[in-house]
Amino acid sequence: MSKTYFGVFLLIVIISFVGFKDNMDSNTVKYTYPKAFNLSKEDAKWIEDVIDEMTLEEKCAQLIFPDANSNMFSRDTNGRSRLEYLVKDLKVGGLVFFEGDIYNQAAFTNHLQLLAEIPLLIASDFERGLGMRLKDAVEYPYNMAIAATRDTKLSYLMGKYTGREGRAIGVHQNYAPVVDINHDYRNPIVNIRAYSDNTELISQFADSFIKGMKDGNMLTCAKHFPGHGATSLDSHTEMPIINLTKKEFENADLIPFKNTIKDGVSGVMVGHLEVPAYEKEKKIPGSVSSSIIQDLLIKNLGFDGLIISDAMNMHAITNNFNVKDATIRCIKAGTDILIFPDDPVESVLSLIEAVKNKEIDIHRIERSVRKILAAKRMLKLDENRFINSAKIEGIVSSIETRRLAAKIAEKSITLVKDENNLIPVDLKKFNKISCITLRDTKAKLTENNKMTFETIVEKELKKVKFGRLSRKSSDDDYEKALKLAKNSDLILLPTYVNVRSFQGTIDIDQRHLDFIKKLTELKKPLVVMSFGNPYILNKFNEVPTYLTAYGGVYYSQKAMYDAVMGDAEISGLLPISIPETEYVFGNGIKRYPLRLKTPETGVDTSYNFAEVDSLMEWGIKDTIFPGAVLVVGHRGKIVYEKAFGRFTYDKKSNKVKTNSLFDIASLSKVIGTTSEAMILVDQGKLNLDEKVSFYIPEFGNNGKENITIRNLLMHNSGLPEFVPFYKKYKTAKEVLNELYQIELKYAPGFKYLYSDLGMIMLQKVMEKVSGTSLDKYLKKNVFDVLEMNNTMYNPPAKLKNECVPTEIDNYWRNRLVQGTVHDETAALLNGVAGHAGLFSTGHDLAVFLQTLLNKGKYSNKTVFNPSIVSSWTTQQVVSNSRGLGWDTKSEKGSSCGNKFSKNSFGHTGFTGTSVWVDKDKELFVVLLTNRVYPTRNNNKHIRFRPLIHTAIVDAVE
């Protein structure tokens, strides 16, 4: 071949293969494939070898992805035969699976992959995880709910778990994320499927989702290009016109697409949208527009990955084009994959005919085939296209997946308005409660089709009367519901206005709207909850209380109940603005729970605490302790509360119960003494940098003149750590007299030395400042406020048998110590001491620790100043791990193990008790044991504590 002819040939190749960079090497044309696929030379060779062996018919079929349904797998269905023909004979490139169940889909996929000559690329629409399509999988909340959490880590994990689960059942590409900007609140099909109406927020969450999906080894797909948000029409029913200017697209809608392309998204789905800014011809949607696909997406935005049509059965396309015309136009415009055509056979035949008639160049078909094969090669489908069904159970619908769905839902609940501070609801104030459900379904509602929220209300509240209204309800139904509301002193109003394909609207029914206004006029406590379209508030802004869950998936309904009833924190922030109201992007009222709720069985089944259980049982078997209570709190809830063992090693002794009272020893320093100090400092009655002798002059001798309150709390006062007063004294007065005269071991501030004596001195200072004893002050200002009714000094005699015994004292008291304080100095101080003396239960301490995690708030009550909580539970100096009163995690040898974050604080008690809180993980652990039984010489607990805390972190993470 002459140089001239070769040059002409090369020019033709360059023109034919738009979007590919061509290079000549030894007379062979090489192609660069999509950057996101990161293919090697060996991969490219495989692709070219496959293409060389394909017929025209096979190449055209690779571009067609028919719909599939795992319910078709039973042998007698026409659907199964249809798919077998499309795969085996027509040789389509892939399938898009919709409804079904996990194992049927896996089995059907394996069956069809066996029939396929070239591995099938299996896709699905898992915007909300596998549960969006498969009835037995976990369904995550909608995108708008995820954005309301403002936590992109949740989006990343959702992408990762979706990818991991999808691959386990044979799905290779997820048609997600949705990156549309929900400009128009009336949008009936995007709405809560969008993350937000804020470009930056959308990009952040889409980016994290894509990264997660890639780590889950699944192909992604941003949709619906160039943006489906600026319309009030549903492209399933008619063609929307997106009347934005090019500048508006550049400044908003295109930005998330640009970012996803930069982040390595593997596919872009083009919407059936009329976009005059880029396509001048009317009635031409983006999916068949060269201007939008070739010029804007490929050339302008530089996208070289898979270009995918929106479903070809949508009316926006079928109302304007027949199957043949739509197919040819889409491919000519630059689409690589056509999904869900009405007639897959006709689509393939149309492409074959178009190539033969030279309407479409074969090189154009091959360009798309190369991309599709590149995706298959990247996923290594040529090596293993089949599913190992035995591994599905350990991956799909796992504990981690369920927990993630619950966490997203819990953090998304947004309290938009609450004029009368009704939320969380204090049920003690209401005797007659009604729950009236408003649904947008056109079916007549009955007792048999209750929503999740109703089911939970019925189970938890018992004495509730229900009403149910739909678009088909009669006037009589509305009258009955209104009568029910009039006879109630609290009205719960869950509303369901959902996104549905082919529905054409997402507005609240006018009769529902009239009914809400009548309820508002009753001036009764009314809680309106949206399980869907959050914008409906602009239709009834006069309601005093409104919350939104941004959708009605199971976890969102469960989270709403917990939020409203005070069993969970409310922290969601609006990711959108609600037109015609004052409620804008970023609004959201934060509320804390009324209580810490324990799961019915004591353990939240969405966590795997098997290793924790095993360690606790081992603790008893190995005589680390005879009995224990362990409470774990995570993200505002108790997820584990169990009792183990007995009061003693005698098999006839009492079993420990979760409400058994433990002598918490030195935990008294932080639960008790430090707590009062925090309050007094906040009130200005106690000065951290004031000298102790200012408050108690008789203490100012023997070098103690310069000890400050701060020194006492940081354990660097120089006071001895411990003095065995019981060996020489019999009264509290004698103990205090020696304490006032005692000599220092170190100069104040010179060295850290953990001291019981310093906390006793702090007690005496505070009793002088407050004018009341430590026990009375704490009861009034802390324990009663938090309803810690089982936390006390000197338990009364009637509670002795509820108290777990400590040591067999054969050296001073000469008896089993039970129901009285174990610490000898505290006993001499009449059971009320700054360093020891408190008795408590696991649950009470859990309430206290959650209050600190809430920065001093619990049940909408403020016990401690947030800034004081933050500073006192933070390491104060580099030389040691102490906070103020509290300890923090040390670099090595911490009792909380090595998996608690640096941002953790806690304390231990001599009797075998400990409390630890991880602020970053929103985690607390209460471990109560009586390891000192029968003797304090048992030190096995020292190695046990790090092990149990590490296992707990593993369980919650």
Side-chain angles (χ1 to χ4, degrees), residues 609-625 628 630 640 642 644 927 929 943-955:
F609 283 108
E611 178 64 18
V612 173
D613 285 338
S614 178
L615 280 171
M616 292 300 293
E617 295 292 352
W618 169 65
I620 293 168
K621 186 176 180 180
D622 197 42
T623 64
I624 297 172
F625 44 77
L630 178 65
Y640 186 100
K642 291 178 73 172
F644 296 85
L927 175 62
T929 78
R943 62 187 172 93
F944 178 81
R945 280 171 174 159
L947 294 177
I948 194 68
H949 285 86
T950 296
I952 289 167
V953 173
D954 288 341

Side-chain angles (χ1 to χ4, degrees), residues 206-501:
D207 171 63
S208 58
F209 183 81
I210 289 169
K211 287 179 179 175
M213 288 268 292
K214 289 169 73 175
D215 287 347
N217 198 28
M218 181 176 275
L219 300 178
T220 50
C221 177
K223 63 185 184 184
H224 307 83
F225 189 79
H228 199 327
T231 180
S232 60
L233 301 180
D234 177 6
S235 53
H236 290 83
T237 58
E238 55 189 314
M239 191 188 302
I241 302 176
I242 311 297
N243 282 314
L244 298 179
T245 66
K246 283 187 178 182
K247 186 174 182 180
E248 288 172 326
F249 270 107
E250 286 288 335
N251 292 337
D253 293 60
L254 293 183
I255 291 175
F257 286 102
K258 288 179 180 178
N259 289 334
T260 58
I261 292 170
K262 181 182 177 182
D263 296 332
V265 72
S266 50
V268 169
M269 181 178 287
V270 182
H272 301 311
L273 312 164
E274 186 175 342
V275 188
Y278 294 100
E279 175 54 64
K280 301 305 180 185
E281 187 176 347
K282 291 185 177 182
K283 297 293 184 182
I284 297 296
S287 51
V288 301
S289 169
S290 295
S291 299
I292 289 173
I293 296 177
Q294 292 283 358
D295 297 339
L296 180 58
L297 180 56
I298 296 175
K299 294 179 182 178
N300 190 331
L301 300 190
F303 181 65
D304 65 353
L306 289 168
I307 298 172
I308 303 160
S309 75
D310 206 343
M312 297 298 289
N313 70 331
M314 293 166 64
H315 293 172
I317 194 82
T318 60
N319 286 348
N320 298 284
F321 307 97
N322 59 35
V323 172
K324 178 180 178 180
D325 197 16
T327 300
I328 293 172
R329 282 174 173 266
C330 277
I331 300 304
K332 287 176 71 175
T335 303
D336 298 308
I337 294 174
L338 297 186
I339 68 170
F340 207 159
D342 272 339
D343 189 337
V345 176
E346 186 175 354
S347 289
V348 174
L349 293 177
S350 298
L351 290 179
I352 295 169
E353 181 184 356
V355 173
K356 288 181 177 179
N357 292 340
K358 301 191 183 305
E359 186 176 357
I360 298 178
D361 194 298
I362 183 59
H363 299 310
R364 167 65 196 88
I365 300 295
E366 289 177 346
R367 186 178 77 194
S368 293
V369 174
R370 279 189 174 85
K371 289 187 187 181
I372 295 165
L373 292 177
K376 295 178 180 182
R377 176 71 176 186
M378 185 196 76
L379 296 166
K380 301 187 184 306
L381 301 186
D382 58 306
E383 298 175 7
N384 185 11
R385 68 181 78 177
F386 299 107
I387 303 156
N388 185 346
S389 298
K391 294 183 177 180
I392 291 176
E393 184 176 358
I395 298 175
V396 181
S397 296
S398 64
I399 287 176
E400 291 87 355
T401 307
R402 298 196 300 271
R403 276 182 48 208
L404 178 61
K407 183 174 182 179
I408 292 170
E410 289 164 8
K411 292 189 73 173
S412 71
I413 300 299
T414 306
L415 179 58
V416 180
K417 62 183 302 188
D418 189 25
E419 295 173 357
N420 301 320
N421 291 318
L422 182 60
I423 304 299
V425 170
D426 185 352
L427 292 172
K428 290 182 285 189
K429 297 180 180 179
F430 305 103
N431 297 314
K432 297 179 181 180
I433 303 173
S434 62
C435 179
I436 304 170
T437 301
L438 304 183
R439 292 177 60 186
D440 60 356
T441 178
K442 295 179 181 178
K444 185 81 172 177
L445 299 181
T446 68
E447 181 74 17
N448 296 326
N449 57 4
K450 289 181 286 193
M451 302 301 286
T452 297
F453 184 83
E454 296 174 87
T455 302
I456 296 172
V457 167
E458 187 174 45
K459 177 184 176 183
E460 297 290 336
L461 302 188
K462 311 298 183 186
K463 299 178 182 180
V464 178
K465 293 186 177 180
F466 293 90
R468 298 179 181 87
L469 299 172
S470 71
R471 291 176 183 264
K472 284 290 184 181
S473 294
S474 65
D475 291 342
D476 187 48
D477 292 330
Y478 279 95
E479 284 301 319
K480 288 180 180 178
L482 185 61
K483 183 178 179 180
L484 175 62
K486 288 179 178 179
N487 291 328
S488 304
D489 50 19
L490 173 66
I491 307 162
L492 304 176
L493 196 74
T495 65
Y496 298 81
V497 181
N498 298 309
V499 171
R500 291 192 183 93
S501 299

Side-chain angles (χ1 to χ4, degrees), residues 36 123 131 290 335 382 397 434 463 492 560 583 635 660 694 778 836 890 921:
S290 295
T335 303
D382 58 306
S397 296
S434 62
K463 299 178 182 180
L492 304 176
M560 179 66 83
Y583 305 105
R635 296 190 286 105
S660 293
F694 171 80
L778 288 169
S890 54
K921 300 182 193 300

Side-chain angles (χ1 to χ4, degrees), residues 25 80 152 293 329 399 431 495 565 652 679 770 791 821:
D25 180 17
R80 172 180 172 136
T152 55
I293 296 177
R329 282 174 173 266
I399 287 176
N431 297 314
T495 65
M565 295 304 163
K652 294 182 180 180
I679 296 172
S770 68
T791 302
V821 63

